[in-house]
Amino acid sequence: MAHFHPIFEANSPAVRVRFGPGVREDIESEIDRLGCSRALVLSTPPQAESAMEMAAKLNGKAAGVYTRAAMHTPVDVTADAVAHAQEVSADCLVSLGGGSTTGLGKAIAYQTDLPQIVIPTTYAGSEATAILGQTRDGVKTTLTDPKVQPEVILYDADLVATLPVAMTVTSALNAMAHAAEALYAVNRNPLSTMLAIEGLSAFKRALPAVLANPQDREARGETLYGAWLCGTVLGQVGMALHHKLCHTLGGSFDLPHAETHAIVLPHAIAYNAAAARDELQPICDLFGGREPGASLHAFGQSVDAPIALRDLGLQEADLEKAADLAVAKSYPNPRPIEREAIRALLQAAWAGEPPKP
Ligand code: NAD
């Protein structure tokens, strides 16, 4: 299938990417390469021990360790981390973790312009974008700025081997959601479409293999490859209904990021299917079936993905407000955003019903 478009724009940032099991051992040389010598190592509290171990191996090039990264990048944590970075005279950041840790590194870089080395341990893909989402008083806002784009990414399959099985599934579906929406993005280009298809296909191949044997290094490597492609495409084109819904549900109802993506994805794609039939055909080609929403739903079931927003703690009474928030601002989407249809979509996703074509 050709992906040629007669007219397009494509922007790619200059990012150094290294891939391979054990590549995390080379952080020191990457710090040298940046011309730096005082790295602040970042993590979430549960990954603090790994961050400490990593810092200890940096031969005196770790200026400190900051382990308070939290989901959705709260601005008070960022303020504290920036003060800490200044206190220890950090000249670069090493973010070891998932999207929350990467988010903190990006938020510090936004204020200080410190270069970032990211070592992802989930498939969220934030490391490959210049996008920063931050939360202040329970309201999440997003900005895009070149200062936020990490300079170096080290993808090491050994680090995702510790990802629990449930998180492996939801994080993979979170990544796949970037690629699925990239297929119909208003500013898509031939390269973004190729990246999206290859990213989806990497997860389709490797995720079942990882679930069969979570220590399968090669399959874990391929899922990280998928994460890189899906994250890269997220950084290059605009997202639509699916990301808008997840953003609303995460920011306003405090639902967990990856799980929310995993549940909403088949519903959002089904909503847009008729309006983007050709663009979404690669999903049917890859996952089988004639309806892309149903194809993704079947894939989700095959990997035991969560299916109901109610299981994440969302109350049925919140669906009205969620629908109102989701339609409050306009944005490009293949199918017009219709309040009642969005409300029905949320109801089905809340109850764990299959997506409606
Ligand atoms: P996360 O970073 O919050 O990680 C979830 C939990 O899993 C944390 O407790 C973490 O410590 C733990 N964990 C991570 N990797 C692990 C591993 N290998 N082994 C064991 N435990 C591990 O979750 P996430 O889904 O990666 O990131 C979500 C955040 O990232 C959200 O705030 C989201 O908005 C943001 N995000 C931003 C972008 C962007 O481009 N700006 C893209 C994707 C996600």
Side-chain angles (χ1 to χ4, degrees):
M1 184 183 178
H3 305 300
F4 172 68
H5 304 190
I7 301 171
F8 63 85
E9 282 180 25
N11 298 293
S12 301
V15 183
R16 175 171 162 80
V17 175
R18 290 185 59 192
F19 217 94
V23 75
R24 67 187 180 284
E25 304 295 343
D26 285 350
I27 304 171
E28 196 190 337
S29 70
E30 295 300 327
I31 294 173
D32 290 344
R33 215 166 185 275
L34 288 170
C36 297
S37 59
R38 294 188 60 76
L40 179 62
V41 181
L42 307 172
S43 77
T44 57
Q47 290 178 289
E49 207 180 308
S50 309
M52 305 276 188
E53 275 170 24
M54 190 159 274
K57 287 188 190 165
L58 291 182
N59 292 322
K61 287 182 184 153
V65 181
Y66 186 90
T67 60
R68 285 187 54 211
M71 186 81 82
H72 305 308
T73 324
V75 292
D76 54 329
V77 175
T78 302
D80 188 50
V82 167
H84 186 74
Q86 284 162 349
E87 231 169 75
V88 300
S89 306
D91 60 6
C92 66
L93 302 165
V94 172
S95 306
L96 172 70
S100 297
T101 304
T102 306
L104 176 61
K106 288 167 136 182
I108 300 172
Y110 183 59
Q111 292 186 34
T112 61
D113 217 2
L114 290 179
Q116 307 164 66
I117 300 172
V118 182
I119 305 142
T121 64
T122 71
Y123 308 127
S126 176
E127 67 280 358
T129 82
I131 306 165
L132 168 63
Q134 309 187 85
T135 314
R136 182 190 300 274
D137 301 329
V139 179
K140 189 165 178 181
T141 52
T142 301
L143 61 85
T144 302
D145 191 290
K147 272 197 283 190
V148 160
Q149 179 87 46
E151 282 73 5
V152 181
I153 314 173
L154 305 181
Y155 284 108
D156 188 325
D158 290 345
L159 295 177
V160 277
T162 57
L163 202 55
V165 168
M167 179 84 188
T168 297
V169 169
T170 54
S171 191
L173 286 161
N174 175 198
M176 290 168 65
H178 311 327
E181 285 222 296
L183 292 174
Y184 53 53
V186 69
N187 55 347
R188 67 190 180 279
N189 61 64
L191 189 59
S192 67
T193 299
M194 284 189 276
L195 288 171
I197 294 172
E198 178 70 357
L200 287 167
S201 125
F203 278 113
K204 196 238 165 189
R205 271 192 307 269
L207 187 58
V210 165
L211 297 178
N213 175 12
Q215 303 312 317
D216 182 335
R217 233 186 189 191
E218 198 175 317
R220 281 280 181 191
E222 190 166 7
T223 51
L224 264 186
Y225 167 65
W228 172 46
L229 299 175
C230 293
T232 301
V233 88
L234 171 69
Q236 295 194 355
V237 300
M239 297 287 109
L241 174 68
H242 170 77
H243 281 73
K244 178 73 184 171
L245 285 174
C246 294
H247 187 96
T248 302
L249 292 166
S252 304
F253 302 97
D254 207 23
L255 298 193
H257 181 80
E259 289 87 335
T260 306
H261 272 271
I263 294 167
V264 172
L265 180 62
H267 297 274
I269 295 302
Y271 182 97
N272 280 329
R277 186 71 54 210
D278 290 348
E279 292 82 354
L280 290 169
Q281 184 57 38
I283 291 182
C284 298
D285 296 344
L286 279 170
F287 296 95
R290 291 198 188 155
E291 287 297 333
S295 304
L296 289 172
H297 180 70
F299 180 70
Q301 284 192 312
S302 76
V303 293
D304 220 4
I307 55 167
L309 291 174
R310 69 172 157 201
D311 294 340
L312 304 185
L314 186 69
Q315 302 300 309
E316 191 168 16
D318 288 332
L319 296 177
E320 287 295 327
K321 185 179 166 202
D324 286 342
L325 289 171
V327 303
K329 284 188 192 150
S330 65
Y331 52 90
N333 188 65
R335 173 177 166 190
I337 302 298
E338 298 154 14
R339 165 94 180 40
E340 283 322 298
I342 296 294
R343 176 67 182 77
L345 179 167
L346 287 169
Q347 185 71 36
W350 179 82
E353 292 162 8
K356 296 186 176 62

